[in-house]
Amino acid sequence: MYIIENKEDFYENSKKGFIWGFLTALLLMCGVTTLAIPSATAITTDQNAYLSYRDIKICIDGQFITPKDVNGNVVEPFIYNGTTYLPVRAVGEALGKSVEFDSSTYTVYLGAKPVGGATDGTRSNPFSGSTGATVSYNEYSFEPTRQVKVKTLKTITGEAANYLATTENPYNTVTGSQEWVFFEIELGYLSSTGGEDDVLSASDIIYNDTFYTPDGSVLPVADRATLGDIYSGSDVFDVKLYPNGSSKVVIGLLTNKGYDKILLKVPCEGGDKNSWILVNDSADSISTVAELKTYLGLGENNTHENDPVKITLNNSLPETISSYSGDTREASALITDFSYTVNGSNVKLTFTGEKTYDEEGSGQSRQVKVGWKLYDSEGYVVEDGTAYSTSIKVGEKFKNCEDSIYGLEPGEYTLEIMGVN
């Protein structure tokens, strides 16, 4: 039933009655407040409605649009019970999203469909991180409610993650039953009830204790990776956003091996409810060092022709290097190769080799240490340090015995490796 205020409105309201019937099928199933009639439960019956048409205009990013249906007919927005309703197809396509209506389930799809069927964001049926999930974030009732979008861009696991961890910082170590896993996540801050100046820190949503296993247990995180040159500025504490902002966020977690499903918990409604996102469902994952180097552009530069820093090794390889405790030899390794990478004024040194001796016997697993000194073109020592490998036993080979130099002046240098006491 419609209220017709005057005769001139009769024809327009009759025509709009058809549009309302069409829009109801599209709008009632959309879980966002601007596109759904407010209700405590899902509406599945026909209802009479009193609609208000006020020649409502739609402006998206500074451009006015004329909303149309799939057949090209103009569809006007309307007001119902104080809420403005917009045609989902017109708005979705204006935002660059494909729009599809499934009449069998009365479901509107904007953009990609969920992988493996519909999801409801519960722990047993989480949203897909690779597709991207838009959820409300409100951990405490006194805080503003924020709409955020979380999308997994890349998952890095296995030897690639362990290599990345030690490449970013040699103190990101790993032990036997544990491994690193890295997530590249696109975090979008869509809106806030606190207004346009309400700042959101990425660490509010993405941190060690916000990751869970499917059984509801907190993911056992032994350490969070310290990020360096590769992901500079992307750490969870570096990224702060205002509404309409977005940024890539990177977090590396040291956890137990074997977790094929890791969930991100996003609290809402003052912490009374949660939205759950499966963050490692992405087929776009990296597990080998070769893949990682290609993705991050870490391929070896054999000539270093265009690098501001050039380093020549004094030693003739292979050479045996030993570490000592006082006069006692602790361990030895045969160094077979040396390489370095340059990123601006920062340099990463990498040694490859095989462990040949351990005072505790061949079954003892401990790090290989390689001492080094860097000389400038005039023979002055400008830097020195110790490179560390992962813990290995006699006879095992290593290729990630590394150390870093920061803030090195451009020029040509000579490197000498030596034992460590």
Side-chain angles (χ1 to χ4, degrees):
M1 172 180 287
Y2 297 89
I3 296 177
I4 308 300
E5 296 179 353
N6 54 58
K7 293 181 179 179
E8 287 76 16
D9 289 339
F10 180 78
Y11 173 73
E12 284 302 313
N13 281 281
S14 298
K15 179 174 68 174
K16 291 166 184 174
F18 168 77
I19 296 172
W20 162 243
F22 173 75
L23 286 175
T24 300
L26 291 181
L27 300 179
L28 293 182
M29 302 303 294
C30 297
V32 289
T33 56
T34 57
L35 295 176
I37 289 179
S39 173
T41 59
I43 300 174
T44 57
T45 61
D46 296 331
Q47 293 187 357
N48 294 325
Y50 295 88
L51 310 180
S52 177
Y53 290 89
R54 293 292 183 265
D55 190 25
I56 298 169
K57 299 175 177 60
I58 303 174
C59 180
I60 298 177
D61 290 335
Q63 300 293 321
F64 285 95
I65 68 167
T66 301
K68 297 180 180 180
D69 63 19
V70 68
N71 296 315
N73 301 312
V74 175
V75 182
E76 292 188 34
F78 58 83
I79 300 172
Y80 172 76
N81 280 353
T83 298
T84 303
Y85 293 84
L86 308 180
V88 68
R89 180 175 298 279
V91 174
E93 291 179 347
L95 292 172
K97 298 289 186 181
S98 61
V99 181
E100 182 178 341
F101 176 59
D102 184 346
S103 60
S104 64
T105 60
Y106 285 86
T107 302
V108 177
Y109 293 102
L110 294 176
K113 294 182 179 180
V115 177
T119 59
D120 58 11
T122 59
R123 182 160 51 84
S124 59
N125 193 19
F127 293 126
S128 166
S130 60
T131 300
T134 299
V135 297
S136 293
Y137 168 63
N138 174 242
E139 187 171 7
Y140 302 103
S141 58
F142 58 83
E143 291 183 334
T145 296
R146 289 102 167 219
Q147 294 294 318
V148 298
K149 182 175 182 180
V150 178
K151 183 176 182 180
T152 305
L153 302 176
K154 192 79 69 175
T155 302
I156 303 172
T157 62
E159 66 174 26
N162 292 339
Y163 176 85
L164 175 60
T166 55
T167 298
E168 283 285 66
N169 191 307
Y171 295 103
N172 292 331
T173 58
V174 61
T175 57
S177 62
Q178 297 175 321
E179 66 180 0
W180 289 97
V181 57
F182 282 80
F183 296 112
E184 283 189 8
I185 295 174
E186 181 182 39
L187 179 63
Y189 187 8
L190 306 182
S191 64
S192 171
T193 59
E196 63 180 14
D197 290 326
D198 180 40
V199 66
L200 173 70
S201 173
S203 62
D204 292 339
I205 296 177
I206 304 169
Y207 196 59
N208 304 26
D209 57 0
T210 60
F211 292 90
Y212 284 72
T213 61
D215 66 3
S217 304
V218 176
L219 186 73
V221 175
D223 197 7
R224 180 176 60 85
T226 300
L227 302 183
D229 296 330
I230 298 174
Y231 284 121
S232 176
S234 297
D235 185 81
V236 293
F237 287 111
D238 293 333
V239 176
K240 298 185 185 301
L241 299 172
Y242 289 96
N244 295 318
S246 65
S247 177
K248 180 168 70 176
V249 181
V250 178
I251 187 168
L253 305 173
L254 180 62
T255 186
N256 298 333
K257 295 179 179 179
Y259 290 113
D260 59 340
K261 291 184 178 180
I262 297 177
L263 306 179
L264 177 68
K265 184 187 78 171
V266 182
C268 56
E269 297 186 19
D272 292 335
K273 293 184 178 180
N274 301 301
S275 294
W276 298 85
I277 304 170
L278 180 61
V279 289
N280 64 334
D281 66 336
S282 176
D284 196 6
S285 61
I286 293 175
S287 60
T288 69
V289 174
E291 290 176 308
L292 181 71
K293 287 185 174 182
T294 300
Y295 172 64
L296 296 177
L298 299 178
E300 300 298 334
N301 180 352
N302 292 326
T303 63
H304 296 284
E305 180 179 350
N306 299 317
D307 287 343
V309 172
K310 296 178 174 60
I311 298 176
T312 302
L313 183 66
N314 252 350
N315 309 66
S316 298
L317 300 182
E319 181 173 328
T320 297
I321 298 294
S322 300
S323 57
Y324 296 85
S325 176
D327 295 330
T328 303
R329 182 167 60 124
E330 290 183 323
S332 298
L334 182 67
I335 308 302
T336 58
D337 192 24
F338 160 72
S339 63
Y340 68 97
T341 56
V342 180
N343 184 3
S345 62
N346 302 325
V347 178
K348 183 175 293 296
L349 310 175
T350 303
F351 301 97
T352 301
E354 179 180 342
K355 188 173 183 180
T356 56
Y357 172 80
D358 194 294
E359 66 168 329
E360 298 294 334
S362 60
Q364 176 68 26
S365 184
R366 77 171 88 192
Q367 293 175 308
V368 167
K369 303 175 185 178
V370 178
W372 58 269
K373 286 185 178 181
L374 189 70
Y375 302 84
D376 65 13
S377 58
E378 297 180 350
Y380 291 96
V381 176
V382 293
E383 295 283 350
D384 69 282
T386 302
Y388 296 85
S389 74
T390 54
S391 295
I392 57 175
K393 296 183 290 187
V394 172
E396 292 182 328
K397 297 180 180 180
F398 57 89
K399 57 181 178 181
N400 62 342
C401 185
E402 298 170 336
D403 201 6
S404 296
I405 307 171
Y406 298 100
L408 193 60
E409 293 291 331
E412 296 187 3
Y413 297 87
T414 302
L415 184 79
E416 183 177 352
I417 59 174
M418 61 201 67
V420 179
N421 194 330

